[in-house]
């Protein structure tokens, strides 16, 4: 595929719906306080004692998932990207051809403009403007169609990734799995685990 397509469409795009912040909240262990009252009687005096006991609380188990990496490095994502590139390759080549035509005519106009009549100059300028308008329209339509097709293809991957994350959270007893964070320790990054799970499906 041309470099322009790779630059304009396969840069760091994020599918708007990508994992929808992928936050999975499981049951959290809250400290429990037990109060026990003991009543004893000695003669005519009654003594009541209360004791409070707090159970130990297990630390939260938190995981982090890098959505962008999943949609770039997982096998389903690579397959989808390759398929989309193939589908849009012909249209991209047509855009490049039209852009080259506009460039050649513009260079020719700049070269001949000084010796052209006013009528010929006006006609050439109008032709350049028409080609440029057509090129911009086709580029806009191309980008819209490409984004729509990519979102359709990647939405299925997002669903599979969410299912894999839920499965991992349940099996590994995660209390919370998040997608976005300012800083993340590699110790809680489970992105590669999710990718491996996707690659097996």
């Amino acid at each position: 595929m041309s470099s322009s397509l790779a630059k304009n469409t396969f840069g760091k795009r994020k599918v708007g719906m990508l994992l929808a912040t992928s936050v999975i909240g499981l049951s959290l262990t809250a400290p429990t306080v037990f109060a026990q009252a003991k009543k004893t009687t000695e003669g005519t005096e009654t003594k009541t004692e209360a004791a409070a006991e707090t159970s130990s609380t297990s630390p939260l188990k938190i995981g982090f998932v890098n959505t962008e990496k999943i949609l770039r490095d997982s096998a389903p994502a690579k397959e989808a990207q390759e398929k989309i590139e193939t589908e849009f390759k012909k249209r991209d080549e047509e855009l490049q051809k039209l852009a080259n035509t506009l460039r050649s005519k513009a260079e020719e106009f700049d070269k001949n403009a000084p010796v052209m009549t006013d009528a010929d100059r006006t006609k050439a300028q109008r032709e350049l403007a028409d080609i440029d308008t057509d090129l911009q329209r086709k580029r806009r339509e191309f980008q819209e169609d490409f984004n729509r097709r990519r979102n359709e293809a990647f939405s299925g991957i997002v669903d599979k990734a969410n299912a894999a994350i839920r499965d991992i959270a349940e099996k590994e007893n995660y209390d919370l799995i998040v997608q976005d964070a300012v800083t993340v320790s590699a110790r809680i990054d489970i992105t590669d685990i999710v990718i491996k799970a996707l690659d097996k499906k």
Side-chain angles (χ1 to χ4, degrees):
M1 195 165 198
S2 66
S3 59
S4 66
L5 177 59
K7 179 178 180 182
N8 293 331
T9 60
F10 288 103
K12 295 184 176 180
R13 292 183 177 280
K14 298 182 178 178
V15 176
M17 62 185 69
L18 293 162
L19 288 186
T21 69
S22 295
V23 178
I24 301 177
L26 303 181
S27 60
L28 306 182
T29 303
T32 305
V33 179
F34 297 93
Q36 181 181 12
K38 182 179 180 181
K39 184 177 182 181
T40 60
T41 303
E42 296 181 358
T44 59
E45 296 181 356
T46 301
K47 184 178 180 182
T48 303
E49 298 178 354
E53 179 183 353
T54 303
S55 64
S56 60
T57 303
S58 301
L60 292 177
K61 187 173 183 180
I62 300 175
F64 169 78
V65 173
N66 186 327
T67 305
E68 183 179 347
K69 185 176 182 180
I70 290 176
L71 296 178
R72 183 187 66 236
D73 296 343
S74 67
K78 290 180 179 179
E79 291 174 2
Q81 179 168 311
E82 182 177 354
K83 184 177 181 179
I84 295 171
E85 286 181 351
T86 301
E87 291 178 6
F88 284 83
K89 182 177 181 180
K90 183 177 180 180
R91 287 179 62 181
D92 181 62
E93 291 175 346
E94 291 175 351
L95 284 175
Q96 291 302 313
K97 183 178 180 180
L98 185 58
N100 290 336
T101 298
L102 177 61
R103 185 181 303 108
S104 297
K105 287 185 174 296
E107 292 175 351
E108 182 180 358
F109 174 79
D110 291 339
K111 179 180 179 181
N112 298 327
V115 296
M116 295 173 67
T117 63
D118 291 342
D120 289 340
R121 188 182 301 108
T122 299
K123 180 180 178 181
Q125 289 175 332
R126 185 180 298 110
E127 181 182 6
L128 288 173
D130 290 342
I131 295 175
D132 182 64
T133 299
D134 187 40
L135 176 61
Q136 297 304 320
R137 177 181 58 80
K138 289 183 177 180
R139 279 178 172 172
R140 183 175 59 256
E141 292 174 348
F142 175 89
Q143 194 67 53
E144 291 173 352
D145 292 344
F146 180 88
N147 290 340
R148 180 169 53 253
R149 179 66 182 89
R150 188 173 189 271
N151 286 336
E152 291 173 354
F154 277 68
S155 63
I157 301 173
V158 170
D159 292 339
K160 292 180 180 178
N162 280 331
I165 292 171
R166 284 191 292 267
D167 185 57
I168 293 170
E170 182 177 354
K171 291 181 178 179
E172 300 298 330
N173 297 319
Y174 277 94
D175 297 298
L176 185 69
I177 295 180
V178 298
Q179 175 207 1
D180 297 317
V182 176
T183 180
V184 178
S185 169
R187 182 174 55 84
I188 67 170
D189 191 337
I190 63 170
T191 304
D192 289 339
I193 298 176
V194 177
I195 289 177
K196 290 180 181 178
L198 285 174
D199 291 349
K200 292 180 181 179
K201 296 184 177 182

